Amino acid sequence: MAHLFDDELDNAWRYERFITTIQQRAGVSWDKAERAAQATLQTLAERISPGAARAIARELPGEIGDWLLTGDAEPESYDAVELVRRIAEREGVDPPTANEHARAVFVALARVVRSDATAALLNELPDDYAPLLEEVARRRRDPTAPEPLPLDTILDRVEGRAGLDRAGAQRAVEAVLEALAERIAGGEVDDLAASLPDELRAPLERGKARTNGKAQRMLLDEFIARVAEREGVSREAALDHAHAVFATLREVIPDKEWSDMLAELPREYSEALL
């Protein structure tokens, strides 16, 4: 029962994240963001293959995924202008507005859907769709980069480095990631989340939500104090644990994302934690 409850909470959180992203990017109300999502995804379902639609739908929460499963077995072939016209008709807005809303929906897709599913979408649509899919293409992981390591592997490495048990390693990882998400910009948080297993998205999102995605100036001492408070350990222990987490992150995050993240941190972070 607890597992089912956790799944429901995760589904609700992912639904909220998806619609909120559209709200923020398009500057519309919650209801309009939901209509934009439904109109865009139902229209996209007519344009792409059922296999690609299913791959993306599996990554989406609840009824948002269902909106992609309304297409026919044989997809239609039409250009981006026609896609936007159909979205506008479904949504009850003019084409320029539909275009902006569709771009916002694709941003939300890029932040929630795994790279292998978005790769299938990019491969099926011609070049004239590029302006709509700009964020999807930008956030697509380097195909030579490894897929995110399983959570157990990450926790094993933190355990070994910090001398913690499994529960302690999980607390350390989540505390460090939550504080890190408060310290760096929201876009970098999203890139970091894409390089980590889904189970570690929640602490990153909590930290990002606390600062509304704006990087918060924070000396290393304050960073470690926040980690210590969330873990329930001394600052000395929190420093050791943060060092173990950062060393593990260095091994699992692609070089570009790692460099981008470090660029947002003062030198004292690198000197103390790496």
Side-chain angles (χ1 to χ4, degrees), residues 224-237:
I224 295 301
R226 295 188 187 197
V227 173
E229 181 180 359
R230 286 165 183 153
E231 271 197 88
V233 299
S234 68
R235 293 195 182 193
E236 292 76 12

Side-chain angles (χ1 to χ4, degrees), residues 43-118:
T43 306
L44 183 64
E46 300 169 349
R47 179 61 180 79
I48 62 177
S49 68
R54 286 193 299 270
I56 298 171
R58 281 194 294 268
E59 303 290 330
L60 296 172
E63 63 184 294
I64 292 179
D66 293 340
W67 293 333
L68 264 172
L69 303 178
T70 56
D72 296 328
E74 290 296 328
E76 300 181 55
S77 179
Y78 47 77
D79 61 16
V81 172
E82 176 61 12
L83 180 89
V84 169
R85 189 197 67 76
R86 295 187 184 200
I87 292 171
E89 184 176 334
R90 273 195 170 97
E91 198 181 345
V93 297
D94 58 57
T97 300
N99 185 75
E100 290 303 310
H101 291 180
R103 287 171 62 91
V105 173
F106 284 122
V107 169
L109 277 179
R111 292 182 176 179
V112 173
V113 176
R114 292 174 187 251
S115 60
D116 54 351
T118 57

Side-chain angles (χ1 to χ4, degrees), residues 60-239:
L60 296 172
E63 63 184 294
I64 292 179
D66 293 340
W67 293 333
L68 264 172
L69 303 178
T70 56
D72 296 328
E74 290 296 328
E76 300 181 55
S77 179
Y78 47 77
D79 61 16
V81 172
E82 176 61 12
L83 180 89
V84 169
R85 189 197 67 76
R86 295 187 184 200
I87 292 171
E89 184 176 334
R90 273 195 170 97
E91 198 181 345
V93 297
D94 58 57
T97 300
N99 185 75
E100 290 303 310
H101 291 180
R103 287 171 62 91
V105 173
F106 284 122
V107 169
L109 277 179
R111 292 182 176 179
V112 173
V113 176
R114 292 174 187 251
S115 60
D116 54 351
T118 57
L121 174 63
L122 291 169
N123 289 336
E124 288 204 11
L125 297 175
D127 291 344
D128 68 299
Y129 280 75
L132 289 173
L133 302 172
E134 180 179 3
E135 187 80 3
V136 175
R138 188 181 75 81
R139 290 186 174 272
R140 183 181 176 185
R141 285 166 45 95
D142 181 347
T144 65
E147 286 298 314
L149 288 179
L151 177 62
D152 284 344
T153 301
I154 292 174
L155 295 181
D156 284 342
R157 296 184 185 186
V158 174
E159 280 184 49
R161 287 186 165 110
L164 293 165
D165 60 17
R166 181 51 55 100
Q170 177 116 21
R171 284 195 298 273
V173 170
E174 292 187 0
V176 170
L177 290 179
E178 187 169 343
L180 182 60
E182 295 169 347
R183 178 59 186 80
I184 63 178
E188 295 304 327
V189 175
D190 292 336
D191 289 342
L192 178 59
S195 302
L196 295 172
D198 288 343
E199 297 92 333
L200 295 179
R201 288 177 179 265
L204 289 168
E205 288 297 329
R206 286 196 299 269
K208 188 175 76 168
R210 196 168 289 113
T211 63
N212 292 318
K214 296 180 180 178
Q216 188 174 88
R217 299 185 68 176
M218 190 188 309
L219 296 176
L220 177 64
D221 285 347
E222 174 61 19
F223 180 86
I224 295 301
R226 295 188 187 197
V227 173
E229 181 180 359
R230 286 165 183 153
E231 271 197 88
V233 299
S234 68
R235 293 195 182 193
E236 292 76 12
L239 178 60

Side-chain angles (χ1 to χ4, degrees), residues 5 12 15 23 26 50 53 63 73 92 95 121 130 148 165 238 250 255 269:
F5 182 66
Y15 186 100
Q23 270 191 286
E63 63 184 294
L121 174 63
D165 60 17
R250 179 64 188 94
D255 289 344
Y269 279 68

